[in-house]
């Protein structure tokens, strides 16, 4: 597994950060989040799922790996960084969704999702929330109010676990356009203090 690492070499907080379905770990979005959190004292480690690593090596562009492969990649990354009790896990869109599916299993300290894909854009009835109803891991989902994968009026009706805190970026799309600095701030505060019930002012 190849990693990109930002932040201090001596640290108390480690965030493992996965990319979305269509782009690698070094896009402007991924760079901005990783470097922004790193500047605030958090060690951020990025990685790529097997299908994206193959693309980088010149392989054919295809669909993401099947879910079991994605989840196994997450398990490997967590294990290589000391186990769930040492890390906060999360990612952009699909990367965050996969993290949410192993967070309880690995005993992660916390979970951060940037733009959770609650449903496909044109199919609001195809929900991807069953595992979120009973999630135990303290979690933060940062969502744009214009995100076609889940808008406020839709998400407000979902039976999400009380362990999940939703934070909305006004006017933001699926990539949180216009609100990325605020998203970084929220993710940083959560990583530093998610064990408290009121980690935001």
């Amino acid at each position: 597994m190849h990693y990109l690492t930002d932040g201090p070499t001596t640290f108390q907080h480690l965030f493992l950060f996965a990319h979305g379905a269509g782009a690698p770990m070094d896009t402007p979005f991924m760079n901005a989040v990783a470097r922004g959190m790193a500047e605030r004292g958090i060690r951020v480690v990025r990685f790529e799922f097997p299908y994206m690593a193959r693309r980088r090596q010149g392989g054919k562009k295809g669909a993401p790996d099947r879910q079991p492969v994605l989840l196994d990649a997450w398990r490997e990354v967590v294990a290589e960084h000391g186990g769930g009790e040492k890390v906060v896990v999360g990612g952009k869109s699909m990367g965050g969704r996969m993290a949410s599916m192993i967070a309880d299993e690995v005993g992660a300290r916390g979970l951060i999702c940037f733009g959770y894909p609650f449903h496909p854009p044109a199919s609001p009835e195809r929900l991807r929330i069953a595992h979120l109803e009973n999630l135990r891991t303290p979690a933060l989902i940062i969502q744009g109010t214009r995100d076609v994968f889940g808008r406020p009026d839709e998400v407000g009706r979902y039976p999400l676990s009380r362990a999940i805190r939703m934070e909305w970026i006004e006017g933001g799309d699926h990539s949180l356009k216009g609100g990325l600095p605020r998203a970084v701030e929220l993710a940083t505060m959560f990583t530093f203090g998610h064990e408290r019930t009121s980690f935001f002012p």
Side-chain angles (χ1 to χ4, degrees):
M1 190 75 73
H2 175 65
Y3 298 108
L4 280 181
T5 304
D6 296 272
T9 55
T10 302
F11 55 89
Q12 291 184 317
H13 302 279
L14 176 59
F15 177 47
L16 304 181
F17 187 27
H19 59 82
M25 63 181 172
D26 55 357
T27 61
F29 177 95
M30 297 290 289
N31 290 339
V33 172
R35 293 168 185 171
M37 294 179 71
E39 288 170 0
R40 293 162 172 81
I42 297 168
R43 183 80 159 176
V44 182
V45 175
R46 287 176 274 172
F47 70 96
E48 288 180 340
F49 295 108
Y51 76 96
M52 191 61 71
R54 291 191 297 271
R55 287 187 195 177
R56 189 178 291 277
Q57 294 168 3
K60 292 182 179 180
K61 184 176 181 179
D65 299 305
R66 295 177 66 83
Q67 183 171 298
V69 176
L70 300 174
L71 297 181
D72 280 345
W74 253 120
R75 294 182 183 107
E76 178 183 343
V77 172
V78 172
E80 288 188 358
H81 289 86
E85 68 278 5
K86 303 285 187 181
V87 302
V88 173
V89 299
K92 183 182 189 300
S93 193
M94 183 198 75
R97 180 186 173 212
M98 293 300 112
S100 73
M101 298 182 80
I102 56 92
D104 283 354
E105 173 192 331
V106 302
R109 293 182 59 237
L111 165 70
I112 304 173
C113 299
F114 297 89
Y116 188 88
F118 287 99
H119 58 73
S123 303
E125 73 284 356
R126 291 173 55 194
L127 294 177
R128 299 160 170 162
I129 64 169
H131 68 290
L132 297 181
E133 296 180 14
N134 299 300
L135 185 76
R136 301 187 306 276
T137 304
L140 171 66
I141 297 178
I142 306 172
Q143 198 86 353
T145 57
R146 295 176 55 249
D147 191 337
V148 295
F149 288 81
R151 293 189 175 93
D153 60 324
E154 298 169 329
V155 177
R157 299 194 298 267
Y158 300 155
L160 302 180
S161 164
R162 295 185 65 181
I164 298 172
R165 177 165 186 140
M166 291 293 309
E167 287 288 334
W168 293 94
I169 301 298
E170 185 63 39
D173 59 9
H174 194 52
S175 293
L176 307 175
K177 185 177 181 180
L180 203 48
R182 175 58 176 163
V184 170
E185 180 184 6
L186 291 167
T188 299
M189 288 192 292
F190 176 82
T191 303
F192 278 132
H194 69 80
E195 66 276 3
R196 298 191 297 274
T197 55
S198 56
F199 47 80
F200 296 115

